[in-house]
mmCIF file of all heavy atoms in Angstrom:
data_model
loop_
_atom_site.group_PDB
_atom_site.id
_atom_site.type_symbol
_atom_site.label_atom_id
_atom_site.label_comp_id
_atom_site.label_asym_id
_atom_site.label_seq_id
_atom_site.Cartn_x
_atom_site.Cartn_y
_atom_site.Cartn_z
ATOM 1 N N ASN B 1 15.291 53.587 -43.766
ATOM 2 C CA ASN B 1 15.779 54.550 -42.781
ATOM 3 C C ASN B 1 15.276 55.942 -43.150
ATOM 4 O O ASN B 1 15.588 56.447 -44.239
ATOM 5 C CB ASN B 1 17.308 54.547 -42.753
ATOM 6 C CG ASN B 1 17.880 53.158 -42.491
ATOM 7 O OD1 ASN B 1 17.997 52.733 -41.360
ATOM 8 N ND2 ASN B 1 18.241 52.451 -43.565
ATOM 9 N N LEU B 2 14.486 56.555 -42.265
ATOM 10 C CA LEU B 2 13.973 57.895 -42.554
ATOM 11 C C LEU B 2 15.107 58.909 -42.527
ATOM 12 O O LEU B 2 16.090 58.753 -41.793
ATOM 13 C CB LEU B 2 12.894 58.277 -41.553
ATOM 14 C CG LEU B 2 11.659 57.355 -41.495
ATOM 15 C CD1 LEU B 2 10.537 58.031 -40.689
ATOM 16 C CD2 LEU B 2 11.163 56.974 -42.885
ATOM 17 N N VAL B 3 14.959 59.958 -43.330
ATOM 18 C CA VAL B 3 16.042 60.925 -43.542
ATOM 19 C C VAL B 3 15.695 62.281 -42.937
ATOM 20 O O VAL B 3 14.633 62.850 -43.204
ATOM 21 C CB VAL B 3 16.332 61.084 -45.056
ATOM 22 C CG1 VAL B 3 17.395 62.142 -45.297
ATOM 23 C CG2 VAL B 3 16.778 59.746 -45.640
ATOM 24 N N THR B 4 16.614 62.810 -42.139
ATOM 25 C CA THR B 4 16.469 64.139 -41.543
ATOM 26 C C THR B 4 17.210 65.162 -42.389
ATOM 27 O O THR B 4 17.956 64.812 -43.316
ATOM 28 C CB THR B 4 17.048 64.157 -40.122
ATOM 29 O OG1 THR B 4 18.467 63.913 -40.211
ATOM 30 C CG2 THR B 4 16.407 63.086 -39.245
ATOM 31 N N ALA B 5 17.037 66.429 -42.029
ATOM 32 C CA ALA B 5 17.752 67.498 -42.738
ATOM 33 C C ALA B 5 19.259 67.287 -42.650
ATOM 34 O O ALA B 5 19.993 67.537 -43.619
ATOM 35 C CB ALA B 5 17.361 68.852 -42.154
ATOM 36 N N ASP B 6 19.749 66.820 -41.505
ATOM 37 C CA ASP B 6 21.181 66.601 -41.323
ATOM 38 C C ASP B 6 21.714 65.461 -42.192
ATOM 39 O O ASP B 6 22.915 65.394 -42.460
ATOM 40 C CB ASP B 6 21.495 66.292 -39.852
ATOM 41 C CG ASP B 6 21.305 67.505 -38.956
ATOM 42 O OD1 ASP B 6 21.329 68.643 -39.475
ATOM 43 O OD2 ASP B 6 21.140 67.319 -37.736
ATOM 44 N N LEU B 7 20.837 64.571 -42.614
ATOM 45 C CA LEU B 7 21.251 63.427 -43.423
ATOM 46 C C LEU B 7 21.043 63.648 -44.923
ATOM 47 O O LEU B 7 21.302 62.740 -45.724
ATOM 48 C CB LEU B 7 20.483 62.173 -43.000
ATOM 49 C CG LEU B 7 20.856 61.545 -41.650
ATOM 50 C CD1 LEU B 7 19.857 60.453 -41.288
ATOM 51 C CD2 LEU B 7 22.277 60.985 -41.690
ATOM 52 N N THR B 8 20.593 64.829 -45.298
ATOM 53 C CA THR B 8 20.249 65.087 -46.701
ATOM 54 C C THR B 8 21.430 64.883 -47.645
ATOM 55 O O THR B 8 21.294 64.278 -48.719
ATOM 56 C CB THR B 8 19.696 66.515 -46.881
ATOM 57 O OG1 THR B 8 18.621 66.721 -45.973
ATOM 58 C CG2 THR B 8 19.194 66.722 -48.300
ATOM 59 N N LYS B 9 22.605 65.365 -47.270
ATOM 60 C CA LYS B 9 23.774 65.211 -48.135
ATOM 61 C C LYS B 9 24.105 63.733 -48.331
ATOM 62 O O LYS B 9 24.378 63.286 -49.452
ATOM 63 C CB LYS B 9 24.976 65.954 -47.558
ATOM 64 C CG LYS B 9 26.211 65.873 -48.456
ATOM 65 C CD LYS B 9 27.386 66.669 -47.893
ATOM 66 C CE LYS B 9 28.603 66.557 -48.809
ATOM 67 N NZ LYS B 9 29.760 67.337 -48.275
ATOM 68 N N ALA B 10 24.078 62.971 -47.248
ATOM 69 C CA ALA B 10 24.362 61.539 -47.330
ATOM 70 C C ALA B 10 23.311 60.838 -48.179
ATOM 71 O O ALA B 10 23.625 59.946 -48.973
ATOM 72 C CB ALA B 10 24.409 60.932 -45.928
ATOM 73 N N CYS B 11 22.075 61.257 -48.021
ATOM 74 C CA CYS B 11 20.979 60.683 -48.793
ATOM 75 C C CYS B 11 21.204 60.914 -50.289
ATOM 76 O O CYS B 11 21.074 59.986 -51.093
ATOM 77 C CB CYS B 11 19.658 61.304 -48.339
ATOM 78 S SG CYS B 11 18.214 60.783 -49.284
ATOM 79 N N ASP B 12 21.562 62.112 -50.655
ATOM 80 C CA ASP B 12 21.792 62.429 -52.063
ATOM 81 C C ASP B 12 23.007 61.680 -52.600
ATOM 82 O O ASP B 12 22.966 61.110 -53.692
ATOM 83 C CB ASP B 12 21.973 63.939 -52.230
ATOM 84 C CG ASP B 12 22.122 64.337 -53.692
ATOM 85 O OD1 ASP B 12 21.129 64.229 -54.433
ATOM 86 O OD2 ASP B 12 23.236 64.737 -54.090
ATOM 87 N N TRP B 13 24.090 61.676 -51.818
ATOM 88 C CA TRP B 13 25.335 61.021 -52.255
ATOM 89 C C TRP B 13 25.107 59.534 -52.488
ATOM 90 O O TRP B 13 25.587 58.967 -53.478
ATOM 91 C CB TRP B 13 26.421 61.234 -51.200
ATOM 92 C CG TRP B 13 27.799 60.881 -51.672
ATOM 93 C CD1 TRP B 13 28.709 61.705 -52.276
ATOM 94 C CD2 TRP B 13 28.431 59.591 -51.579
ATOM 95 N NE1 TRP B 13 29.863 61.017 -52.563
ATOM 96 C CE2 TRP B 13 29.716 59.716 -52.143
ATOM 97 C CE3 TRP B 13 28.033 58.363 -51.072
ATOM 98 C CZ2 TRP B 13 30.608 58.646 -52.210
ATOM 99 C CZ3 TRP B 13 28.912 57.289 -51.148
ATOM 100 C CH2 TRP B 13 30.183 57.439 -51.713
ATOM 101 N N CYS B 14 24.366 58.904 -51.590
ATOM 102 C CA CYS B 14 24.097 57.467 -51.733
ATOM 103 C C CYS B 14 23.191 57.181 -52.935
ATOM 104 O O CYS B 14 23.126 56.044 -53.408
ATOM 105 C CB CYS B 14 23.452 56.919 -50.455
ATOM 106 S SG CYS B 14 24.597 56.815 -49.062
ATOM 107 N N GLY B 15 22.521 58.221 -53.422
ATOM 108 C CA GLY B 15 21.659 58.050 -54.581
ATOM 109 C C GLY B 15 22.368 58.219 -55.908
ATOM 110 O O GLY B 15 21.878 57.768 -56.937
ATOM 111 N N VAL B 16 23.546 58.852 -55.887
ATOM 112 C CA VAL B 16 24.268 59.093 -57.150
ATOM 113 C C VAL B 16 25.579 58.318 -57.240
ATOM 114 O O VAL B 16 26.285 58.406 -58.239
ATOM 115 C CB VAL B 16 24.544 60.601 -57.347
ATOM 116 C CG1 VAL B 16 23.237 61.364 -57.472
ATOM 117 C CG2 VAL B 16 25.382 61.168 -56.197
ATOM 118 N N ARG B 17 25.914 57.560 -56.208
ATOM 119 C CA ARG B 17 27.099 56.707 -56.210
ATOM 120 C C ARG B 17 26.678 55.253 -56.067
ATOM 121 O O ARG B 17 25.703 54.944 -55.395
ATOM 122 C CB ARG B 17 28.052 57.084 -55.060
ATOM 123 C CG ARG B 17 28.699 58.459 -55.236
ATOM 124 C CD ARG B 17 29.738 58.416 -56.342
ATOM 125 N NE ARG B 17 30.454 59.675 -56.484
ATOM 126 C CZ ARG B 17 30.159 60.609 -57.381
ATOM 127 N NH1 ARG B 17 29.140 60.422 -58.218
ATOM 128 N NH2 ARG B 17 30.868 61.708 -57.448
ATOM 129 N N SER B 18 27.409 54.355 -56.693
ATOM 130 C CA SER B 18 27.064 52.938 -56.677
ATOM 131 C C SER B 18 27.819 52.182 -55.596
ATOM 132 O O SER B 18 29.022 52.419 -55.371
ATOM 133 C CB SER B 18 27.369 52.301 -58.039
ATOM 134 O OG SER B 18 27.164 50.904 -57.987
ATOM 135 N N GLY B 19 27.110 51.260 -54.960
ATOM 136 C CA GLY B 19 27.740 50.406 -53.962
ATOM 137 C C GLY B 19 28.745 49.438 -54.563
ATOM 138 O O GLY B 19 29.510 48.805 -53.833
ATOM 139 N N ARG B 20 28.751 49.314 -55.884
ATOM 140 C CA ARG B 20 29.774 48.495 -56.538
ATOM 141 C C ARG B 20 31.164 49.120 -56.358
ATOM 142 O O ARG B 20 32.178 48.426 -56.348
ATOM 143 C CB ARG B 20 29.484 48.358 -58.036
ATOM 144 C CG ARG B 20 28.212 47.601 -58.371
ATOM 145 C CD ARG B 20 28.066 47.443 -59.885
ATOM 146 N NE ARG B 20 26.841 46.748 -60.244
ATOM 147 C CZ ARG B 20 25.687 47.349 -60.499
ATOM 148 N NH1 ARG B 20 25.628 48.691 -60.452
ATOM 149 N NH2 ARG B 20 24.612 46.659 -60.805
ATOM 150 N N ASP B 21 31.176 50.447 -56.247
ATOM 151 C CA ASP B 21 32.442 51.179 -56.210
ATOM 152 C C ASP B 21 32.787 51.770 -54.848
ATOM 153 O O ASP B 21 33.943 52.114 -54.609
ATOM 154 C CB ASP B 21 32.397 52.326 -57.237
ATOM 155 C CG ASP B 21 31.997 51.847 -58.623
ATOM 156 O OD1 ASP B 21 32.527 50.808 -59.063
ATOM 157 O OD2 ASP B 21 31.151 52.507 -59.256
ATOM 158 N N TYR B 22 31.804 51.925 -53.986
ATOM 159 C CA TYR B 22 32.037 52.615 -52.722
ATOM 160 C C TYR B 22 31.437 51.859 -51.541
ATOM 161 O O TYR B 22 30.393 51.209 -51.667
ATOM 162 C CB TYR B 22 31.409 54.016 -52.745
ATOM 163 C CG TYR B 22 32.011 54.970 -53.755
ATOM 164 C CD1 TYR B 22 31.443 55.088 -55.030
ATOM 165 C CD2 TYR B 22 33.116 55.745 -53.440
ATOM 166 C CE1 TYR B 22 31.979 55.971 -55.962
ATOM 167 C CE2 TYR B 22 33.655 56.632 -54.361
ATOM 168 C CZ TYR B 22 33.084 56.739 -55.622
ATOM 169 O OH TYR B 22 33.609 57.608 -56.541
ATOM 170 N N ASP B 23 32.107 51.994 -50.404
ATOM 171 C CA ASP B 23 31.539 51.569 -49.126
ATOM 172 C C ASP B 23 30.790 52.792 -48.594
ATOM 173 O O ASP B 23 31.388 53.716 -48.041
ATOM 174 C CB ASP B 23 32.660 51.160 -48.163
ATOM 175 C CG ASP B 23 32.131 50.694 -46.815
ATOM 176 O OD1 ASP B 23 30.998 51.064 -46.450
ATOM 177 O OD2 ASP B 23 32.869 49.967 -46.116
ATOM 178 N N LYS B 24 29.494 52.811 -48.758
ATOM 179 C CA LYS B 24 28.722 54.024 -48.484
ATOM 180 C C LYS B 24 28.658 54.370 -46.998
ATOM 181 O O LYS B 24 28.654 55.553 -46.634
ATOM 182 C CB LYS B 24 27.324 53.898 -49.083
ATOM 183 C CG LYS B 24 27.331 53.812 -50.608
ATOM 184 C CD LYS B 24 25.931 53.812 -51.183
ATOM 185 C CE LYS B 24 25.952 53.720 -52.695
ATOM 186 N NZ LYS B 24 24.595 53.763 -53.289
ATOM 187 N N PHE B 25 28.613 53.374 -46.148
ATOM 188 C CA PHE B 25 28.643 53.658 -44.713
ATOM 189 C C PHE B 25 29.943 54.370 -44.350
ATOM 190 O O PHE B 25 29.944 55.361 -43.612
ATOM 191 C CB PHE B 25 28.514 52.360 -43.904
ATOM 192 C CG PHE B 25 27.092 51.936 -43.619
ATOM 193 C CD1 PHE B 25 26.438 51.071 -44.470
ATOM 194 C CD2 PHE B 25 26.428 52.420 -42.500
ATOM 195 C CE1 PHE B 25 25.135 50.675 -44.216
ATOM 196 C CE2 PHE B 25 25.120 52.037 -42.233
ATOM 197 C CZ PHE B 25 24.469 51.160 -43.086
ATOM 198 N N LYS B 26 31.047 53.869 -44.891
ATOM 199 C CA LYS B 26 32.364 54.449 -44.589
ATOM 200 C C LYS B 26 32.504 55.840 -45.192
ATOM 201 O O LYS B 26 32.948 56.781 -44.513
ATOM 202 C CB LYS B 26 33.458 53.533 -45.119
ATOM 203 C CG LYS B 26 34.866 54.015 -44.838
ATOM 204 C CD LYS B 26 35.888 53.040 -45.392
ATOM 205 C CE LYS B 26 37.313 53.538 -45.148
ATOM 206 N NZ LYS B 26 38.327 52.580 -45.708
ATOM 207 N N GLU B 27 32.134 55.989 -46.452
ATOM 208 C CA GLU B 27 32.303 57.272 -47.139
ATOM 209 C C GLU B 27 31.481 58.384 -46.501
ATOM 210 O O GLU B 27 31.930 59.525 -46.416
ATOM 211 C CB GLU B 27 31.911 57.120 -48.613
ATOM 212 C CG GLU B 27 32.823 56.221 -49.437
ATOM 213 C CD GLU B 27 34.193 56.829 -49.673
ATOM 214 O OE1 GLU B 27 34.332 58.063 -49.584
ATOM 215 O OE2 GLU B 27 35.133 56.060 -49.951
ATOM 216 N N MET B 28 30.282 58.069 -46.049
ATOM 217 C CA MET B 28 29.398 59.068 -45.458
ATOM 218 C C MET B 28 29.473 59.109 -43.933
ATOM 219 O O MET B 28 28.708 59.804 -43.278
ATOM 220 C CB MET B 28 27.953 58.819 -45.897
ATOM 221 C CG MET B 28 27.687 59.133 -47.365
ATOM 222 S SD MET B 28 27.783 60.929 -47.727
ATOM 223 C CE MET B 28 29.460 61.045 -48.402
ATOM 224 N N LYS B 29 30.419 58.340 -43.378
ATOM 225 C CA LYS B 29 30.637 58.300 -41.924
ATOM 226 C C LYS B 29 29.337 57.969 -41.166
ATOM 227 O O LYS B 29 29.001 58.593 -40.160
ATOM 228 C CB LYS B 29 31.225 59.620 -41.433
ATOM 229 C CG LYS B 29 32.606 59.923 -42.000
ATOM 230 C CD LYS B 29 33.154 61.242 -41.483
ATOM 231 C CE LYS B 29 34.590 61.473 -41.904
ATOM 232 N NZ LYS B 29 34.792 61.446 -43.361
ATOM 233 N N LEU B 30 28.647 56.978 -41.687
ATOM 234 C CA LEU B 30 27.416 56.507 -41.061
ATOM 235 C C LEU B 30 27.717 55.258 -40.232
ATOM 236 O O LEU B 30 28.665 54.527 -40.499
ATOM 237 C CB LEU B 30 26.357 56.194 -42.122
ATOM 238 C CG LEU B 30 25.904 57.383 -42.975
ATOM 239 C CD1 LEU B 30 25.005 56.920 -44.110
ATOM 240 C CD2 LEU B 30 25.188 58.421 -42.118
ATOM 241 N N THR B 31 26.888 55.045 -39.229
ATOM 242 C CA THR B 31 27.118 53.951 -38.289
ATOM 243 C C THR B 31 26.121 52.826 -38.509
ATOM 244 O O THR B 31 24.913 53.064 -38.583
ATOM 245 C CB THR B 31 26.994 54.462 -36.836
ATOM 246 O OG1 THR B 31 27.786 55.642 -36.675
ATOM 247 C CG2 THR B 31 27.441 53.393 -35.852
ATOM 248 N N GLU B 32 26.619 51.618 -38.614
ATOM 249 C CA GLU B 32 25.741 50.453 -38.754
ATOM 250 C C GLU B 32 25.081 50.134 -37.407
ATOM 251 O O GLU B 32 25.739 50.182 -36.367
ATOM 252 C CB GLU B 32 26.539 49.230 -39.217
ATOM 253 C CG GLU B 32 27.157 49.361 -40.589
ATOM 254 C CD GLU B 32 28.005 48.149 -40.940
ATOM 255 O OE1 GLU B 32 27.600 47.024 -40.566
ATOM 256 O OE2 GLU B 32 29.065 48.325 -41.557
ATOM 257 N N TYR B 33 23.802 49.825 -37.465
ATOM 258 C CA TYR B 33 23.085 49.410 -36.262
ATOM 259 C C TYR B 33 22.504 48.023 -36.507
ATOM 260 O O TYR B 33 21.730 47.814 -37.443
ATOM 261 C CB TYR B 33 21.959 50.392 -35.915
ATOM 262 C CG TYR B 33 21.168 49.971 -34.696
ATOM 263 C CD1 TYR B 33 21.633 50.264 -33.420
ATOM 264 C CD2 TYR B 33 19.976 49.244 -34.832
ATOM 265 C CE1 TYR B 33 20.924 49.869 -32.297
ATOM 266 C CE2 TYR B 33 19.275 48.836 -33.704
ATOM 267 C CZ TYR B 33 19.743 49.154 -32.447
ATOM 268 O OH TYR B 33 19.048 48.743 -31.330
ATOM 269 N N THR B 34 22.897 47.065 -35.672
ATOM 270 C CA THR B 34 22.426 45.696 -35.816
ATOM 271 C C THR B 34 21.254 45.457 -34.875
ATOM 272 O O THR B 34 21.353 45.683 -33.657
ATOM 273 C CB THR B 34 23.550 44.698 -35.489
ATOM 274 O OG1 THR B 34 24.674 44.957 -36.337
ATOM 275 C CG2 THR B 34 23.075 43.271 -35.703
ATOM 276 N N SER B 35 20.148 45.003 -35.426
ATOM 277 C CA SER B 35 18.951 44.749 -34.629
ATOM 278 C C SER B 35 18.710 43.248 -34.503
ATOM 279 O O SER B 35 19.414 42.435 -35.117
ATOM 280 C CB SER B 35 17.725 45.397 -35.283
ATOM 281 O OG SER B 35 17.331 44.635 -36.417
ATOM 282 N N GLU B 36 17.685 42.895 -33.756
ATOM 283 C CA GLU B 36 17.306 41.491 -33.625
ATOM 284 C C GLU B 36 16.331 41.043 -34.708
ATOM 285 O O GLU B 36 15.955 39.869 -34.770
ATOM 286 C CB GLU B 36 16.658 41.248 -32.248
ATOM 287 C CG GLU B 36 15.296 41.882 -32.046
ATOM 288 C CD GLU B 36 15.334 43.284 -31.466
ATOM 289 O OE1 GLU B 36 16.303 44.028 -31.763
ATOM 290 O OE2 GLU B 36 14.392 43.641 -30.729
ATOM 291 N N PHE B 37 15.921 41.986 -35.580
ATOM 292 C CA PHE B 37 14.851 41.686 -36.527
ATOM 293 C C PHE B 37 15.314 40.996 -37.804
ATOM 294 O O PHE B 37 14.735 40.004 -38.231
ATOM 295 C CB PHE B 37 14.094 42.966 -36.872
ATOM 296 C CG PHE B 37 13.497 43.643 -35.677
ATOM 297 C CD1 PHE B 37 13.935 44.899 -35.277
ATOM 298 C CD2 PHE B 37 12.493 43.024 -34.940
ATOM 299 C CE1 PHE B 37 13.387 45.529 -34.167
ATOM 300 C CE2 PHE B 37 11.944 43.644 -33.831
ATOM 301 C CZ PHE B 37 12.391 44.905 -33.436
ATOM 302 N N ILE B 38 16.364 41.545 -38.439
ATOM 303 C CA ILE B 38 16.880 40.963 -39.687
ATOM 304 C C ILE B 38 18.396 41.102 -39.693
ATOM 305 O O ILE B 38 18.981 41.733 -38.809
ATOM 306 C CB ILE B 38 16.283 41.647 -40.941
ATOM 307 C CG1 ILE B 38 16.628 43.133 -40.977
ATOM 308 C CG2 ILE B 38 14.775 41.428 -41.021
ATOM 309 C CD1 ILE B 38 16.165 43.842 -42.252
ATOM 310 N N SER B 39 19.031 40.513 -40.700
ATOM 311 C CA SER B 39 20.496 40.545 -40.772
ATOM 312 C C SER B 39 21.041 41.876 -41.276
ATOM 313 O O SER B 39 22.122 42.305 -40.867
ATOM 314 C CB SER B 39 20.990 39.418 -41.694
ATOM 315 O OG SER B 39 20.621 38.155 -41.179
ATOM 316 N N ALA B 40 20.305 42.532 -42.177
ATOM 317 C CA ALA B 40 20.777 43.810 -42.723
ATOM 318 C C ALA B 40 20.814 44.873 -41.623
ATOM 319 O O ALA B 40 19.886 44.973 -40.820
ATOM 320 C CB ALA B 40 19.869 44.260 -43.855
ATOM 321 N N PRO B 41 21.886 45.673 -41.584
ATOM 322 C CA PRO B 41 21.978 46.713 -40.562
ATOM 323 C C PRO B 41 21.171 47.952 -40.930
ATOM 324 O O PRO B 41 20.922 48.229 -42.104
ATOM 325 C CB PRO B 41 23.471 47.038 -40.543
ATOM 326 C CG PRO B 41 23.899 46.819 -41.958
ATOM 327 C CD PRO B 41 23.087 45.636 -42.438
ATOM 328 N N ALA B 42 20.783 48.677 -39.902
ATOM 329 C CA ALA B 42 20.120 49.964 -40.086
ATOM 330 C C ALA B 42 21.168 51.071 -40.013
ATOM 331 O O ALA B 42 22.354 50.811 -39.781
ATOM 332 C CB ALA B 42 19.055 50.159 -39.017
ATOM 333 N N ILE B 43 20.726 52.307 -40.219
ATOM 334 C CA ILE B 43 21.599 53.479 -40.090
ATOM 335 C C ILE B 43 21.312 54.123 -38.740
ATOM 336 O O ILE B 43 20.209 54.615 -38.494
ATOM 337 C CB ILE B 43 21.348 54.487 -41.228
ATOM 338 C CG1 ILE B 43 21.636 53.825 -42.585
ATOM 339 C CG2 ILE B 43 22.209 55.738 -41.046
ATOM 340 C CD1 ILE B 43 21.237 54.682 -43.782
ATOM 341 N N SER B 44 22.297 54.110 -37.849
ATOM 342 C CA SER B 44 22.096 54.625 -36.495
ATOM 343 C C SER B 44 21.675 56.083 -36.477
ATOM 344 O O SER B 44 20.885 56.508 -35.625
ATOM 345 C CB SER B 44 23.378 54.462 -35.662
ATOM 346 O OG SER B 44 23.593 53.120 -35.327
ATOM 347 N N GLU B 45 22.201 56.870 -37.404
ATOM 348 C CA GLU B 45 21.916 58.308 -37.410
ATOM 349 C C GLU B 45 20.483 58.618 -37.839
ATOM 350 O O GLU B 45 20.027 59.758 -37.672
ATOM 351 C CB GLU B 45 22.899 59.015 -38.342
ATOM 352 C CG GLU B 45 24.336 59.078 -37.832
ATOM 353 C CD GLU B 45 25.107 57.762 -37.976
ATOM 354 O OE1 GLU B 45 24.586 56.822 -38.607
ATOM 355 O OE2 GLU B 45 26.232 57.689 -37.452
#
């Protein structure tokens, strides 16, 4: 997922926090986007 200036804080936070401890989509108020290509969701923002 390419990162814009508005997503910079979320980008940094997701880089210094572990998914073992946090739900990163929830913590950063990001929206899951489900495509027809693969099972993993994209970031709508």
Side-chain angles (χ1 to χ4, degrees):
N1 304 276
L2 301 193
V3 177
T4 64
D6 290 339
L7 288 171
T8 307
K9 182 178 180 180
C11 176
D12 184 69
W13 193 91
C14 288
V16 297
R17 292 288 184 262
S18 174
R20 295 184 181 91
D21 308 315
Y22 296 93
D23 180 337
K24 295 185 180 182
F25 272 93
K26 181 180 178 181
E27 293 290 338
M28 289 291 99
K29 296 180 173 57
L30 298 172
T31 310
E32 296 176 37
Y33 178 83
T34 303
S35 75
E36 69 270 33
F37 302 115
I38 61 175
S39 298
I43 300 172
S44 287
E45 289 77 8

